[in-house]
Amino acid sequence: MRNIWMRTSPSRLIWRQFAATQLVLRRLLAAVPVLVGISLLTFFILDLLPGNAAVSLLGPDATPQQVAQLAAQLQLDRPVAERYLEWMGDIVRGDLGRSIASGQPVSTLIADRFSVTLELVAFALAVSISLAVTVALLAARRPRHFIDRAAAVIGMISLSIPSYLLAPLIVLVFAVHLDAFRSIGFTPLSESLLGNLSSLTLPTVALACPFFGLYTRFLRGDLLEQIEGQSYIITARAKGLGPWQVLIRHALRNSLFGLITVVGLNLGALLGGTVIVEQIFALPGIGQLLIQAVNTRDVIVVQAIVLVMAIVTIIATLCVDLLYIILDPRLRYESP
């Protein structure tokens, strides 16, 4: 009765809500200096690059006088610290500014492309995690047998092939020779479900493959450690539970905490990988917009995209921390 009361006690629920709220506030406060530091670093690094937006817009045939005149019109001749402080003032007011190259609001440019990147990241995350859990479970079911060794080899191979190298290979095989999937362009989900899946299949595979290898190797090792060294596994077997019940209901549940941590730590890398993948497959996402902005030295657009990616990464990491509380209410996040 005491255990049942402990699970259903209103005080326990209030504590969980308080712990979650405290965690969110601490993470948000800690994120402020991180975002300021990222914006500072990005702004000043871009200023050190040769050339500017005026040179990129006018082309190599422009005279120095024309470049200087356009730079003055775009206010690029002002000190970098002054331009950064002005940009920060706009950000505080909720204004991401206007693109130097096109004159369009940066918020509009990002909003038009954000859904493509978000869809790609969601697909890649779902594919990598689901396949990693499946392969790791099959490997842990028969340790040191053929399936286990094959899973280890597959995980190592997929982890060793970067997305920028895998992407051209799968395009050559599945798009050029087999003509099974599209390799260029994007079809919105609202227009065609099959077209959307066809346009995102190869980019998803290219982006998810290295993370699938990482998650598989980690989860496989953690599952084997749980099975071979934990007393609760021995107790579950003594109660007569079958191998799959022990593996899924007990070992996997405890190993999910480690997997969630690894996924959370690699969300930034997953989001950053879209920059190359979207460029290769001509997907109109934030990654492609970032490359275009860097090529034209559009500092305002680059700054906004980097800031948005950092915010998304911080929010995703915060969601991972909150997921710990959902999976195990006993966890407490106490202030340091």
Side-chain angles (χ1 to χ4, degrees):
M1 289 296 294
R2 184 175 181 273
N3 291 335
I4 296 177
W5 182 87
M6 287 288 286
R7 295 193 196 102
T8 58
S9 170
S11 62
R12 300 277 292 183
L13 297 177
I14 293 174
W15 168 252
R16 289 176 61 186
Q17 295 175 357
F18 174 75
T21 304
Q22 190 180 37
L23 174 66
V24 170
L25 293 177
R26 289 207 313 268
R27 290 290 190 272
L28 291 179
L29 289 176
V32 173
V34 173
L35 294 176
V36 173
I38 291 173
S39 64
L40 267 170
L41 185 63
T42 306
F43 205 96
F44 283 93
I45 286 179
L46 289 174
D47 188 70
L48 293 175
L49 294 177
N52 54 35
V55 176
S56 302
L57 292 174
L58 293 176
D61 297 330
T63 63
Q65 292 78 11
Q66 292 174 327
V67 172
Q69 182 179 2
L70 182 58
Q73 293 177 359
L74 299 175
Q75 299 183 351
L76 299 177
D77 54 346
R78 295 185 302 163
V80 60
E82 182 181 339
R83 288 186 281 120
Y84 174 77
L85 291 176
E86 181 180 355
W87 178 81
M88 280 296 296
D90 293 336
I91 292 297
V92 171
R93 292 191 295 269
D95 183 12
L96 295 179
R98 289 184 173 271
S99 168
I100 297 176
S102 65
Q104 293 180 278
V106 177
S107 56
T108 302
L109 293 176
I110 294 178
D112 292 341
R113 295 171 176 260
F114 185 74
S115 60
V116 179
T117 300
L118 185 62
E119 193 172 347
L120 175 61
V121 170
F123 280 178
L125 196 60
V127 168
S128 59
I129 293 178
S130 58
L131 288 180
V133 171
T134 303
V135 174
L137 285 173
L138 292 174
R141 174 64 181 85
R142 300 290 299 275
R144 290 174 289 277
H145 283 71
F146 172 75
I147 296 180
D148 182 29
R149 298 182 188 279
V153 172
I154 292 173
M156 178 61 71
I157 293 175
S158 60
L159 183 60
S160 303
I161 303 178
S163 298
Y164 62 83
L165 181 60
L166 179 62
L169 294 178
I170 61 177
V171 167
L172 183 64
V173 175
F174 295 100
V176 177
H177 290 293
L178 299 180
D179 195 22
F181 299 98
R182 288 174 51 186
S183 61
I184 294 178
F186 174 76
T187 300
L189 186 61
S190 57
E191 294 184 6
S192 172
L193 174 60
L194 293 178
N196 178 262
L197 293 176
S198 177
S199 61
L200 284 178
T201 298
L202 296 185
T204 297
V205 171
L207 184 61
C209 186
F211 297 96
F212 157 72
L214 175 63
Y215 302 155
T216 300
R217 286 177 57 82
F218 176 84
L219 186 58
R220 169 187 169 274
D222 196 74
L223 285 173
L224 292 178
E225 182 180 352
Q226 297 284 335
I227 291 174
E228 296 176 356
Q230 299 297 328
S231 58
Y232 72 90
I233 296 294
I234 300 175
T235 304
R237 288 171 175 169
K239 291 180 179 179
L241 295 180
W244 282 111
Q245 288 180 306
V246 173
L247 190 61
I248 295 176
R249 291 175 55 183
H250 296 278
L252 179 61
R253 182 175 180 180
N254 286 277
S255 296
L256 283 180
F257 287 97
L259 180 63
I260 290 172
T261 302
V262 174
V263 172
L265 291 174
N266 286 274
L267 283 174
L270 181 65
L271 190 60
T274 61
V275 176
I276 297 177
V277 172
E278 288 178 0
Q279 189 71 14
I280 293 174
F281 292 95
L283 296 178
I286 291 182
Q288 188 187 68
L289 179 63
L290 178 62
I291 294 295
Q292 294 172 354
V294 171
N295 291 334
T296 59
R297 300 295 189 272
D298 200 336
V299 180
I300 303 300
V301 175
V302 174
Q303 280 286 103
I305 293 176
V306 172
L307 187 65
V308 168
M309 285 187 171
I311 291 174
V312 170
T313 303
I314 291 172
I315 292 176
T317 305
L318 177 60
C319 292
V320 169
D321 291 337
L322 293 176
L323 192 58
Y324 287 142
I325 299 179
I326 297 174
L327 289 177
D328 191 348
R330 295 172 299 175
L331 292 177
R332 297 184 178 185
Y333 290 85
E334 299 180 354
S335 300

